[in-house]
Amino acid sequence: MAPLKRKSNTNSQQDGPYKKQKPTDDKQRRPAVLRDEEPAFARGGASILTPLEHKQIQIKAKQDVLFEQETGKRQAPPRLGSDGEDVHGEGDSENVEAESPALSVPTKYSKKKDKPRKTKGKGFSIAEQGPKIEGLSYRRIVPGSLVLGQVSKINRYDITISLPNNLTGYAPLTAISTTLTRQIEHLAADGSDDENNQTDLDLKSLFYVGQFVRAYVTSVGNADGQSQKTKHIELSLRPEEANLGIAAADVPVNTVLQAEVVSVEDHGIVANLGLPSGNVKGFISSKEVDPLMRSTDHLHRGTVMLCMVIGKSSNGKIVKLSADPQKIGNLKKGNFVSETPTIDSLLPGCAVEVLVTEVMPTGLAGKILGVLDVTADIIHSGAAASAKPIEKRYPIGSKTKARVICTFPAADGKKVGVSLLENVVSLSNKRSLEKEDEAEPKERLPISTIVNEARVAKVDPIRGLFLDLGVKGIRGFAHISRISDDKIDVLSESTGQYKVGSVHQCRVIGYNSLDALFLVSLERKVLDLPFLQLEDIKLGQVVEGVIDKLVTKDTTVEGAVVKITDSISGFVPEIHFSDVRLQHPERKFKQGVPVSARVLSRNFESRRMRLTLKKTLVNSDVSAWTSYDELKPGMQAPGTLVNITPSGAVVQFYGNVRAFLPVAQMSESYLSDARQHFRPGQVVNVHIVTVDPAEERMIVSCRDPESFGAAQEIALQSIHAGAQVRGTVSEKTNDEVVIELEDSRLKATMSIEHLVDGSAQKCQSAAKRIRVGQNLHDIVVLGKNDIKRTVRLTSRPSLLKAFNSGEIPKSFEEIALGSKVTGFVRNITPTGIFVQFANDIIGLLLKTQLPEEAAGLDDFGMRRHQTIYATVLSLDAGQQRFLLTQKAISSELKPLIAAQSKVEHATELVDAVDGVSKSMEDFTLGKLTQARIASVKETQLNVHLATGVQGRIDVSEVFDSWESIKNRKRPLASFHSKQIIPVRILGIHDSRNHRFLPITHVGKAPVFELSSKRSTLESIQLDVLTLDKVKEGSDWLCFVNNIAGDCIWVNLSPNVRGRIRAIDLTDDVSLLDDIAKNFPVGSAIRASVTKVDATNSHLDLCARLSSNTGILAIDSLSEGMVLPAKVTKVTERYAMAQLSESLSAPIHLVNLADDYSQADPTSYHKNQIIRVCVLKVDAPNKKILLSARPSKVLSSSLPVVDREISDYSNLQVNDIVRGFIKHVADNGIFVGLGSDIDAFIRVSELSDAFIKDWKAEFEIDKLVKGKVISVNEHLRHVQLSLKQSVIDNEYKAPLAYGDLRIGQIVTGKIRKVEDFGVFIVMDHSSNVSGLCHRSEIADGPVADVRKLYDAGDAVKAKVLKIDLERRRVSLGLKASYLAKDTIDVDESDHDTDIDQASGVSIDQDMDDILNSGAADNDIDMDDLRSDDGEESSGMAFESNGVAIPGTKPLVDESAAGLDAGGFDWAGDIFNDNILNDDMSTSEGEGVEGTRKKKKRRKAEIKIDRTGDLDANGPQSTADFERLLLGQPNESRLWISYMAFYLQLSEISKARDIAERALRTINSQSRDTEQDSLNVWVAYLNLENTYGTDDRVDDVFKRACEFNDAENVHKHLASIYIQSTKYEKADTLLQTMVKKFSQNPKVWQNYAKFLFNTSGEPSRARELLPRALQALPNYHELNTTIGFAKLEFQAKSGEVERGRTIFEGLISTFPKRLDLWKVLLDQEVKTGDKDQVRRLFERVTSSNLKPKKAKYFFKRWLKFEEQEGDSKSCEKVEARATEFVRQHGGA
């Protein structure tokens, strides 16, 4: 009913707010609204207005006041509907969570609608109105409403559905579909447990998040157990209700229906539509199914989908549907309702075309098909999300596409709500408008995210704010109740704190995918919440809360509820109250008590959280174990015991992470029952032993982790049964031997019975011969126990042989019927013998299957651990059991075995891959079929021919040629699981003999041997390779099958296996250091056959390319041959090398290395493959002399320290040689200088000093150095002398006490520091030491000696006193002593060669070096080394021997790095003299001036001249400290000080000096700015060479803070390049072009690096467009020129590309003649004379001014004079003459 308007009555109560209105103005006068037939009381009493209307009028009055203040005009009051509502708003803001965002109140109205139409009557007028613009709200949604929703969350018992305008509904499990309801009723009738049937009723298998559905509102009210403010909307998705109102005959094309899946057929889906006529069904073709539901297997009976009608059958009984959202949402193809027999079919979900009839800022109204009124509110009209006014987007009279989203059953007249939002119209999820951003909105801004800068985009004065949150195209909405902690009644767009454009901090509290709006809150109490939802709390996080209540059962406390926030609580089980069991927890945990807890687990579905209050867990600093993927063996953490058994305990960590703690790992000592020592709830510290993330299994230990480290754990995992190992006996008992395995250090045990074959007495005898420390070889792994970390070994020859022949099965899959196996007796019972094999595989040998003679003996004539041979009689794959027999298989048993093996042979096949085969009998020999790969192993492809029918393709049956293998180490890496490939059947796989059998040998579970070779597939006849077809000398493609100790086994085919000795594996001996890495199992090898023995099935091959495939004999050897050899024996004197099976020779000490000090035979190990050179062959005596010197066996350029002496003629008198002592006699020693060259040294020639027991000083194999004093080639005699006086021509005797003189200056090192002085040991002395008393240390008083000197400091002192009798020397360190001596030295010995100095010195030209570089801080890349083969050593050596890290000497210009901008660690800054500022004059003036000063003023000697040190420079810490006192800001001194400590390998002290220098130098001053930078660069150099990456980064960041950041970046880049750390340099230069993109030099330097150093021209060229885009316009030309020049100059550049760039520049800038000059320079350097001449011709032919032409002609003539001849010069002169003539003689 239209609202009624009373006559104006000034006395009426409702006119109060509008007293100022002019009664004559119809536009402004608005009467009050009265309820129908409600009387007005003239004398007071009840008001005719509702409380809500009072509130609205009050708010509007405030708005009027604000409006008048802003514009000076009075605002028009709002129009009210019949129910007293605001026409454009809702007025209900009770529930923010449940209600939609508020609709804004309009500020201006359509003129057409403002004028009321008056009708005749008694003072009443009826206002003519169009459809009311409104949106869905909690107050407007009623039972019976239909709404379009989107699945937002799938719970266990219901589905959460997002509805329009921020409403949320819930569809319970019983209101999904009829089929699902019947299943629930059936389960309820049977009394089934919901937990057990959870998978049958899993809603996640029926729906997916984001799916659109139509919902029917069944109830609206408060949720059970919730507060009055929490509104609950219950929905139904059943088609019977969702399609309510649609008749079977009224279903037009393109309308949308809700369908329920009744059955899923091959060709499509039969659906129930729930229409009144029950015989009408829906059908969805397979092509029309939702792709997401089809791919995720959501199509089940009971599934509900939103479908579009695309047609009907001829009889109208079948409705053809499409469930593809993309097709339904594509309105461009006309998929909207254009005609309908009744408007009842236009339900939510239908796409329609709307004629716009009214537009307001709050939304729009219109009509569908001219009859049905529609409305779109501020959100779904797009006004809230768009900056463009809605009036311009949808003008009145225009038509637009929309989708119906809701109905209004309670409204007057038929009306529906529509949405114009793109995501609703297209039935898709809203995405950000940013390019390349495919993330979901909730991923961009997850709930609880705090947005620091949210800008107000639109203001609804009554309802709230629309804000821009930084996600393009998606805004946020803050309800007016969520804006402030204080109450806000009204908002304004232009004034106040929340006006349009203001910026605020807010927090995301939700997201409605249908509205495409974030829900936000600006309340401070919400912003300050630590957690907004359960998802915000992380596993293992420590949280603060208060005890809310205790949970009790009867009188027992079972736990406590801890309140974290108002909406988040957690439960603490009783065992997690404390580390100890509490008797009365209720006394400690009272309500309101604050506690700190750690999160144990979370369940988002049930919204529950478990906590712990144990201090051990809460206060632990160890990262919480929340996922198996993050865990690795060796990690440690505390855990809680939750279940304890006698064998161990289950340890609970966080989330679902659990581990098993075996009883053996609970303690270092033995525990019989874990329950006696541990209790549930106890916290234990454990470390991980093994972890399997895929299986989510983990084993932990409480034992000391140091006893079993991560390396041993890895070794334990890599070891396998059958592997040959070596070890050392570490312990021996009566029953077993404990062996420590070599390399891995694993402890292994071997029973005494497994030492040798034979009787028990023989085993005991062998055990007695074993001693602790003995090395054992030829032992094999029987098995291992990962939990107990034990390895079992055997050295019994019979078992070793069986392992090598493959007769000991390592897994049950390797056991085949009728195969012969070898094992040992595990146990003997009266009924039979249990036989054990590798990896604890056990078979049963029954008494009836023993030989008759053995059956009557005690224990059947057997004993435990005895080797036993048997045949497999039967297999039980299900129970993993098998029976053995020692009897010959009779003809009667053979049919039984064959029958057992064919049990599954004739069965029908299921899901055959080829689609043709029906039974096992179809798989015949040679059949071509198809197989599906199940798994890819190193040596084979495991495939399925059908379900349950397995096959294998050996890697040798995959490739035809070497070239077809892409990955030689992993040939099968190109295959993947589920791949279908064509194959051919070869037979049945026999794992025991590594071959395949005919098809007649089908086992119970046969494994077919297949081939996928192209040649095999295409061949007409099947030709299987056998050993007798392999010939010597033939070449084959082999694949590694197994790696033994000294050889590898390879497969030529599945049944042809050969051996390649390690020595014959490759010509590159370095690859043999790690055969398993370089030749892994499965890798491909090309080899030739060297020996074939078909009788014994023996095949030898050789993979060396240089091999002649012949057997190596002594006659085939020649001197100089370089061969690989295997080390078979190592002693302290030689290493024995084996060249072949029949040839071996020793390598003596003198032939092991070019430097005898590195000759160590023990550095080799047995079975190591090395390269040797044949020095001499003595065939008659069968002797071979070998050498392993690098100069002989390698193309080594390393210096030969000790030359090879092969003959006496190689020796001359006075030669200095070294050798090894071979024999010590009474009259001297014999030294070996070469293989057959010995020298004799008399006793008198052993030493300059007397040696009392000289034999004790010289032992065999000791390296000595001597001088040849006599050579007699004929007698083969050589004599040496070891005297130092003979060897060293400049030999000086050690300084003795008698050699000292008072006043002498000596150098030495401080031996000890005491309070009374320091003890100094003098250099070059026989341990002569002296004391410097504290009174002689300095000219002034010394308070603490220990602060000045430390032990080891190098000092210079003066001898003051000598007491020869008592052998005491008094020394002085005073500066005055040294200064006096310095002047004397300058006077008398100033020409001394300064290169003999041992101290650190500073170059005179330091200032020049610093100043020259400081002028240009840019990196100069021209000096980068361009020789790819040159390597930087990373060290620069000064003339005084101090090594400076990270650089090369500056003299090596080719290796120079980046220009260090004024200082380079590699510069010559540590050179000749120490000069202070007073010594800047020339050398002659300085010396003369010093002399005159000394003669003129004798008293000058008393002055403490701390800077005037001697010419050798500072040589101690005291020297440096004295220099720094006078020059604290001098960077040269500080860097010299650092270099001094680096010379002493005191890295930490050098760092301390750098830090001290940085604190001392005043970097704020301009004068010292460069000095500070110098120290920073030196510090970076030091850390780059000696420190870690973290240290470099730390120093680098600090340097950037105190210096120009760009300059520091350049220095570090230079350091990285000089130290050949190109990857780091590349990364840093990338950072520079981003941070300093405005500097063109940065771009050019990066390009030079990529061209010259990195060798990546393509990357360098990609920089140019980036640089031109980033740089200012005035830098573009020079930058382009720089890149063009690089194409000419760089080795990796392309000259033609550079020419192209220059040509483009010349055409763009034709007047820039300097471009021609630069191009000419580059072409001249290139050397292409013809090209240079063509350029000169072009430029001189252009329109040049005479002055410019003169320059080019002169340059051309000069070029021809240098490169051409007289004729070419005449040609240039002629062209110049012609130019002058044409220009009028200019």
Side-chain angles (χ1 to χ4, degrees), residues 463-479:
R463 297 307 179 189
L465 307 174
F466 293 92
L467 304 101
D468 286 332
L469 306 180
V471 180
K472 191 175 181 180
I474 304 178
R475 285 180 174 173
F477 173 72
H479 192 269

Side-chain angles (χ1 to χ4, degrees), residues 1078-1313:
N1078 298 312
F1079 301 94
V1081 172
S1083 58
I1085 298 176
R1086 287 187 293 186
S1088 56
V1089 179
T1090 58
K1091 182 180 180 182
V1092 180
D1093 186 356
T1095 305
N1096 297 318
S1097 299
H1098 189 80
L1099 175 65
D1100 283 337
L1101 301 101
C1102 179
R1104 287 194 291 118
L1105 299 178
S1106 60
S1107 173
N1108 57 7
T1109 70
I1111 299 176
L1112 194 64
I1114 193 170
D1115 298 333
S1116 60
L1117 295 179
S1118 61
E1119 294 184 6
M1121 288 181 64
V1122 178
L1123 303 169
K1126 181 175 70 173
V1127 178
T1128 58
K1129 184 179 180 181
V1130 175
T1131 68
E1132 295 181 354
R1133 307 192 67 183
Y1134 66 89
M1136 183 64 71
Q1138 182 183 11
L1139 301 177
S1140 66
E1141 293 184 355
S1142 59
L1143 289 180
S1144 295
I1147 307 175
H1148 298 287
L1149 284 171
V1150 292
N1151 293 320
L1152 283 175
D1154 290 319
D1155 185 353
Y1156 286 165
S1157 59
Q1158 299 178 2
D1160 183 13
T1162 58
S1163 61
Y1164 299 98
H1165 58 82
K1166 190 177 180 181
N1167 293 330
Q1168 181 180 357
I1169 307 300
I1170 62 174
R1171 193 185 296 267
V1172 297
C1173 176
V1174 180
L1175 295 180
K1176 185 178 181 181
V1177 180
D1178 187 356
N1181 296 316
K1182 295 185 177 181
K1183 290 185 179 181
I1184 307 172
L1185 193 60
L1186 302 177
S1187 174
R1189 285 173 173 258
S1191 58
K1192 287 289 186 181
V1193 300
L1194 302 171
S1195 300
S1196 176
S1197 60
L1198 297 175
V1200 178
V1201 179
D1202 298 289
R1203 58 189 173 92
E1204 183 183 2
I1205 302 174
S1206 58
D1207 191 76
Y1208 287 93
S1209 60
N1210 300 136
L1211 293 172
Q1212 301 291 333
V1213 176
N1214 294 329
D1215 284 352
I1216 305 297
V1217 294
R1218 294 199 297 176
F1220 297 95
I1221 298 175
K1222 300 181 65 175
H1223 178 65
V1224 180
D1226 293 336
N1227 57 342
I1229 60 176
F1230 292 88
V1231 177
L1233 303 180
S1235 300
D1236 296 324
I1237 308 296
D1238 295 338
F1240 178 68
I1241 305 174
R1242 300 178 182 273
V1243 177
S1244 58
E1245 296 294 335
L1246 293 177
S1247 176
D1248 289 299
F1250 171 73
I1251 305 176
K1252 185 176 181 181
D1253 186 7
W1254 66 271
K1255 287 187 177 182
E1257 298 291 331
F1258 299 95
E1259 59 182 9
I1260 294 177
D1261 296 332
K1262 181 179 180 181
L1263 179 63
V1264 295
K1265 179 180 179 181
K1267 188 173 186 179
V1268 179
I1269 58 176
S1270 173
V1271 179
N1272 190 325
E1273 295 184 28
H1274 301 289
L1275 298 178
R1276 301 171 63 86
H1277 286 173
V1278 179
Q1279 287 191 27
L1280 301 179
S1281 175
L1282 301 185
K1283 289 183 176 181
Q1284 194 66 23
S1285 58
V1286 176
I1287 297 173
D1288 190 358
N1289 294 330
E1290 299 179 357
Y1291 172 77
K1292 295 181 179 179
L1295 188 67
Y1297 284 96
D1299 300 329
L1300 294 176
R1301 298 291 180 269
I1302 295 177
Q1304 182 178 351
I1305 302 298
V1306 295
T1307 60
K1309 289 184 173 58
I1310 295 178
R1311 178 170 58 86
K1312 189 176 182 182
V1313 181

Side-chain angles (χ1 to χ4, degrees), residues 1635-1663:
K1635 294 186 65 174
F1636 313 110
S1637 59
Q1638 299 299 304
N1639 188 348
K1641 197 68 175 178
V1642 174
W1643 294 96
Q1644 295 180 23
N1645 287 338
Y1646 191 14
K1648 291 178 183 178
F1649 169 79
L1650 293 175
F1651 266 114
N1652 298 333
T1653 305
S1654 183
E1656 299 178 87
S1658 59
R1659 288 183 58 198
R1661 295 180 185 116
E1662 293 173 357
L1663 288 178

